[in-house]
Amino acid sequence: MIAAIPLLRVAGSHREVGRAVGAATAPVLRDAVAFEAALPAGRSREEQLALAERYRATTRAATPWLVEEIDGAAEGAGVDPLALFAASVEEIWTVRPSQVGTQEPVPGRCSDLVIGPPHTADGHLWVAHNNDLGEDSEARLVAVEWRVPGEPAVFSLGIGPWISVGWNDAGLSLTGNELSPNDERVGVPRLLMVREQLTARTLDEAVAMTLRSDRASSYNTVLAHRDGRAVNVEGSAGDAAVRPLGVGETLAHTNHYVEPAMLRYEGDPAYATRSAVRYERACALLAAAAAGPPGGVTPAVLRAWLADHAGAPDSICRHPGGAAPAGEAGAEGRVKTVFWSIADITTGTVLFGRGNPCAGHEPQRHAFA
């Protein structure tokens, strides 16, 4: 039987919620700061920390509470705050799977599908997401309900204080996909930006946060709101393509640049061909649903899409069995789907589960009180 993802409820100032998350996930954070074996070739721990301090200074100057929250997590876990901040800066660890001779993986891979009326049975807007990481990450997952005075309550899924996907009680949904931008720079880390974006009360506010000019890089960010709107922001450090979904339009996205204006920022064309397998399959599933009778898409259909194995090993539902593809065997193990979620954006209800969606286990459920 697959164990449920534990739910942690935290409340207070940013320092206090960070401290509570850090205390609850201390073993994970202690492992994260013991990163000597994962250092990029030729870089010492001291050099990595010095580089991280540059990102920290930029973040502290613009959005000090993001640093406060990570510092609180470090305090709760009893670890060095700069080392934990360094572990929060994906941009200083990135090694592309296509780089010949590297051993470290880039395990973060995800698939998103967005569909709404007239295609959904209940007329609601839905977002389905699979999150792929190193297989050892599955045991470290935590769900967190964050409550900070003056801000929307947030529900997130991730590891420690680091958020993969999230929703708030103002009606916002945030999911997305790691990209490989070739213009990364010193700035506010994309991973910490997610925490800020989830404080937005409107879709437009969330888009503005996604496009902040001092960002170090960007994910492909899938934003939706209970007002019925959804938008995809395919970004790099210095550029972005913003695509709102029109009435009846659907969206699929995986881990490569799709928008014509953004193709020049693809930093890993070799992996992009593999990401395209999932993307094209997701597009085909959505197109078939849109071409069928109205109202045919239910939560069961969405989960079946997330459980799809066409194109394995590069399928939407990914498993670690068999030989690991080049660049995806490392300290965290082979890449697999470690959690999935199906969110009814209209009502703010999230169904989710640990592991592969094809496993058939009953979903966990979250809805804000």
Side-chain angles (χ1 to χ4, degrees):
M1 183 175 179
I2 297 176
I5 299 173
L7 173 61
L8 176 65
R9 290 186 169 93
V10 298
S13 68
H14 287 288
R15 186 88 181 203
E16 289 168 338
V17 297
R19 187 183 301 120
V21 172
T25 62
V28 171
L29 303 196
R30 290 174 192 143
D31 286 346
V33 300
F35 48 62
E36 282 77 6
L39 287 167
R43 191 179 298 165
S44 68
R45 181 181 178 89
E46 291 70 25
E47 290 169 334
Q48 189 77 334
L49 292 175
L51 180 57
E53 177 55 44
R54 298 173 62 193
Y55 289 78
R56 179 182 167 92
T58 300
T59 307
R60 186 171 50 226
T63 319
W65 67 263
L66 286 174
V67 177
E68 276 289 300
E69 211 161 83
I70 293 298
D71 283 357
E75 183 179 330
V79 300
D80 175 52
L82 180 55
L84 192 64
F85 193 90
S88 309
V89 186
E90 292 177 339
E91 290 85 352
I92 65 176
W93 300 96
T94 302
V95 179
R96 306 298 178 201
S98 60
Q99 289 180 289
V100 177
T102 61
Q103 298 300 315
E104 299 86 351
V106 181
R109 302 297 176 191
C110 307
S111 302
D112 277 276
L113 300 95
V114 182
I115 192 165
H119 313 302
T120 52
D122 53 12
H124 295 181
L125 177 63
W126 288 81
V127 177
H129 174 89
N130 269 1
N131 212 90
D132 304 340
L133 291 167
E135 58 189 338
D136 292 349
S137 298
E138 190 172 307
R140 305 171 189 166
L141 296 170
V142 64
V144 182
E145 190 172 278
W146 313 71
R147 293 187 179 272
V148 176
E151 297 179 2
V154 170
F155 173 70
S156 67
L157 298 170
I159 296 175
W162 303 302
I163 297 172
S164 293
V165 296
W167 302 266
N168 71 27
D169 67 356
L172 183 71
S173 167
L174 185 155
T175 58
N177 327 100
E178 183 180 350
L179 297 170
S180 301
N182 58 20
D183 63 344
E184 292 175 348
R185 62 191 179 188
V186 174
V188 180
R190 63 194 179 208
L191 182 56
L192 298 188
M193 283 174 54
V194 173
R195 178 70 180 96
E196 181 197 26
Q197 290 160 320
L198 284 168
T199 66
R201 296 185 181 276
T202 68
L203 192 68
D204 294 336
E205 185 183 2
V207 170
M209 290 175 175
T210 307
L211 297 174
R212 60 183 297 166
S213 61
D214 59 354
R215 64 188 186 272
S217 67
S218 183
Y219 298 117
N220 180 78
T221 307
V222 178
L223 297 165
H225 196 272
R226 68 180 172 214
D227 66 9
R229 295 187 297 150
V231 64
N232 191 70
V233 184
E234 197 175 85
S236 71
D239 204 353
V242 180
R243 183 162 74 87
L245 270 67
V247 176
E249 289 187 333
T250 63
L251 169 72
H253 208 285
T254 55
N255 299 103
H256 64 291
Y257 286 99
V258 175
E259 298 291 340
M262 298 301 293
L263 296 178
R264 60 185 172 139
Y265 297 107
E266 181 57 67
D268 196 355
Y271 186 82
T273 61
R274 292 179 48 206
S275 172
V277 175
R278 283 179 290 127
Y279 172 72
E280 291 167 4
R281 176 60 175 167
C283 287
L285 292 169
L286 289 167
V297 177
T298 64
V301 169
L302 291 166
R303 182 162 177 179
W305 289 350
L306 292 182
D308 188 84
H309 295 119
D314 293 314
S315 48
I316 295 173
C317 185
R318 300 188 64 187
H319 292 261
E328 291 197 355
E332 290 194 340
R334 294 167 298 185
V335 172
K336 71 177 297 288
T337 300
V338 298
F339 77 81
W340 57 275
S341 64
I342 301 169
D344 180 345
I345 309 306
T346 307
T347 65
T349 302
V350 184
L351 305 176
F352 63 99
R354 189 196 301 271
N356 292 87
C358 66
H361 52 283
E362 284 297 309
Q364 295 175 245
R365 180 182 181 275
H366 183 274
F368 291 104

